C-alpha cells in the first residue's frame, strides 16, 4: 500500500517530499498501533485514517513552505503561499485508487479547501469511507464531517477522472530540441494559459506566451527536452546549455489540452531543476 498512501499524502500536502515524510510517519505509527487493528479486512481504511491524521498534524505544526527565490530575471514577484509540486507518473489502471484524480489542476483545487474539508473529500469520495467512518478517522462528529464534505463538494467543480490529456507532447519536445520557437508557438491554443508557480504571474493567450518564450529563448545556446509523465499528464523536462557547457536541468513543463497545448504549468529555475530527481532524470545531458 505504500504507493497509494504516498499519493494520498501528496493530495493532502501538495509536495512530493512532504508526502514521503508523511508516509514514513504513517508506517511508523501503524507499526506502533498494529495491535489496535482488530480486522485484517479493515487494514486499508485503518492506514488511510492514520495517514490523514499524520498529514493534518504536519500541516498544523509546520510553517508554510518559504519561497526559494530572490528577484527573478523577469521581475516577477514570488508568492508567499505554498505551491503544488508535480507528481512523477500517474496511477495505473490496476491500482485500488484508480478512481481518485491526481491531475495537477485537481490537486491545486484541493488546496483551496480547508485541510479538514480536503481530508473529508478524499476519505469519503476517494477511499470510499462512510461519513461516520471518516468522522471517526478525523476525530470529529458525523454532523461536522458531513458539513465539511458538503463545503468541499460545493467548492470544487465536478471532476471527470477518466478524462485524458492529448496535448502534442512529441511535437512539443521536438520543437525544444530543434530550438524552433516558431514551431513551439504553433502548438499553442490561442487561449492558452501559462503559469509559473510560485511566481505571481499568469500568461494568457498565445501572443503573450509567445512574447515571453521569444524573449527567453536567445539566453541559451541549446536545448534538450525529454517527455515524462507528471500527475498522469504529458510533461517535458527541459535542459538548457550556455556557450559550450553541458545541458543542465532547467524547467519542468506540465501540459494539458487536446490537439493543442491549452495549459502549461512551467516550473522554472531554481524550483524546476530541484524536481528532476523525483522523476529519475539525469543531472546532465
Amino acid at each position: 500500500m505504500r504507493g497509494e498512501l504516498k499519493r494520498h499524502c501528496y493530495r493532502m500536502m501538495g509536495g512530493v517530499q512532504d508526502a514521503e515524510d508523511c508516509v514514513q510517519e504513517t508506517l511508523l505509527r501503524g507499526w506502533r498501533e498494529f495491535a489496535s487493528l482488530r480486522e485484517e479486512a479493515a487494514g486499508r481504511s485503518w492506514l488511510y485514517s492514520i495517514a490523514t491524521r499524520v498529514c493534518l498534524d504536519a500541516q498544523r505544526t509546520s510553517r508554510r513552505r518559504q519561497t526559494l527565490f530572490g528577484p527573478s530575471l523577469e521581475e516577477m514577484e514570488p508568492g508567499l503561499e505554498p505551491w503544488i509540486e508535480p507528481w512523477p507518473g500517474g496511477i495505473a489502471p490496476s491500482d485500488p485508487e484508480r478512481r481518485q484524480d491526481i491531475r495537477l489542476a485537481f490537486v491545486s483545487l484541493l488546496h483551496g479547501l480547508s485541510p479538514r474539508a480536503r481530508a473529508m473529500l478524499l476519505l469519503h469520495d476517494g477511499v470510499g469511507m462512510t461519513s461516520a467512518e471518516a468522522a471517526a478517522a478525523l476525530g470529529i462528529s458525523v454532523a461536522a464531517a458531513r458539513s465539511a464534505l458538503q463545503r468541499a463538494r460545493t467548492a470544487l467543480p465536478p471532476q471527470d477522472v477518466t478524462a485524458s490529456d492529448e496535448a502534442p507532447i512529441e511535437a512539443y519536445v521536438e520543437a525544444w530540441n530543434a530550438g524552433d520557437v516558431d514551431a513551439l508557438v504553433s502548438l499553442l491554443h490561442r487561449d492558452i494559459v501559462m503559469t509559473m508557480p510560485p511566481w505571481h504571474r499568469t500568461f494568457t493567450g498565445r501572443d503573450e506566451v509567445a512574447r515571453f518564450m521569444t524573449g527567453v529563448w536567445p539566453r541559451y545556446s541549446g536545448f534538450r527536452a525529454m517527455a515524462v509523465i507528471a500527475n498522469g499528464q504529458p510533461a517535458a523536462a527541459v535542459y538548457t546549455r550556455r556557450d559550450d557547457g553541458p545541458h543542465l536541468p532547467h524547467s519542468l513543463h506540465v501540459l494539458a489540452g487536446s490537439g493543442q497545448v491549452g495549459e502549461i504549468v512551467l516550473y522554472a529555475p531554481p524550483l524546476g531543476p530541484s524536481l528532476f530527481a523525483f522523476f529519475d532524470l539525469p543531472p546532465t545531458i
Side-chain angles (χ1 to χ4, degrees):
M1 285 186 59
R2 190 178 186 285
E4 61 178 286
L5 285 173
K6 186 173 178 179
R7 285 185 287 268
H8 175 71
C9 292
Y10 166 73
R11 294 184 185 94
M12 284 292 300
M13 301 298 295
V16 178
Q17 187 57 55
D18 291 340
E20 176 64 30
D21 293 342
C22 287
V23 168
Q24 294 290 347
E25 178 63 20
T26 296
L27 297 177
L28 181 60
R29 289 192 194 182
W31 179 259
R32 289 171 175 169
E33 301 172 16
F34 188 73
S36 68
L37 179 61
R38 298 182 179 180
E39 298 180 19
E40 184 177 345
R44 185 168 181 268
S45 296
W46 177 73
L47 276 174
Y48 267 100
S49 298
I50 295 174
T52 304
R53 290 195 297 271
V54 166
C55 291
L56 292 174
D57 289 346
Q59 290 171 337
R60 280 192 292 265
T61 59
S62 64
R63 294 181 299 175
R64 286 185 166 192
R65 272 179 284 169
Q66 299 297 310
T67 51
L68 306 174
F69 321 100
S72 73
L73 293 175
E74 282 68 47
E75 298 181 351
M76 291 184 284
E77 291 296 326
L80 296 178
E81 70 277 2
W83 56 89
I84 304 301
E85 294 177 351
W87 174 264
I91 300 176
S94 58
D95 282 352
E97 51 163 352
R98 60 187 177 278
R99 295 184 298 109
Q100 300 187 53
D101 201 341
I102 202 169
R103 285 174 297 174
L104 199 54
F106 177 67
V107 178
S108 297
L109 287 173
L110 281 177
H111 282 259
L113 304 173
S114 69
R116 178 186 288 184
R118 180 162 66 246
M120 268 302 304
L121 185 74
L122 292 174
L123 291 177
H124 187 280
D125 290 4
V127 180
M129 290 186 183
T130 65
S131 295
E133 290 169 337
L138 300 179
I140 59 178
S141 68
V142 176
R146 288 174 176 164
S147 177
L149 181 61
Q150 181 60 39
R151 289 196 302 272
R153 287 175 171 171
T154 300
L156 265 64
Q159 299 295 308
D160 179 7
V161 299
T162 63
S164 60
D165 290 301
E166 298 177 356
I169 183 62
E170 294 84 1
Y172 190 87
V173 166
E174 288 174 6
W176 279 101
N177 286 334
D180 191 340
V181 68
D182 292 331
L184 180 70
V185 171
S186 71
L187 301 173
L188 308 180
H189 191 279
R190 65 180 182 180
D191 297 323
I192 185 174
V193 175
M194 185 174 79
T195 54
M196 299 176 65
W199 303 111
H200 277 318
R201 179 70 185 274
T202 300
F203 301 86
T204 305
R206 182 192 296 140
D207 292 343
E208 189 171 345
V209 175
R211 281 193 295 272
F212 174 78
M213 290 293 188
T214 54
V216 170
W217 214 272
R219 297 177 185 172
Y220 304 96
S221 56
F223 304 95
R224 289 292 182 270
M226 299 171 62
V228 296
I229 299 294
N231 297 78
Q233 300 170 227
V238 176
Y239 293 74
T240 57
R241 181 178 65 183
R242 295 184 187 273
D243 302 321
D244 294 326
H247 287 86
L248 299 175
H250 180 271
S251 52
L252 191 74
H253 306 205
V254 184
L255 311 183
S258 180
Q260 290 182 297
V261 181
E263 180 182 3
I264 302 175
V265 182
L266 195 159
Y267 294 90
L271 175 59
S274 70
L275 301 172
F276 278 46
F278 293 138
F279 288 79
D280 294 324
L281 293 164
T284 61
I285 294 183

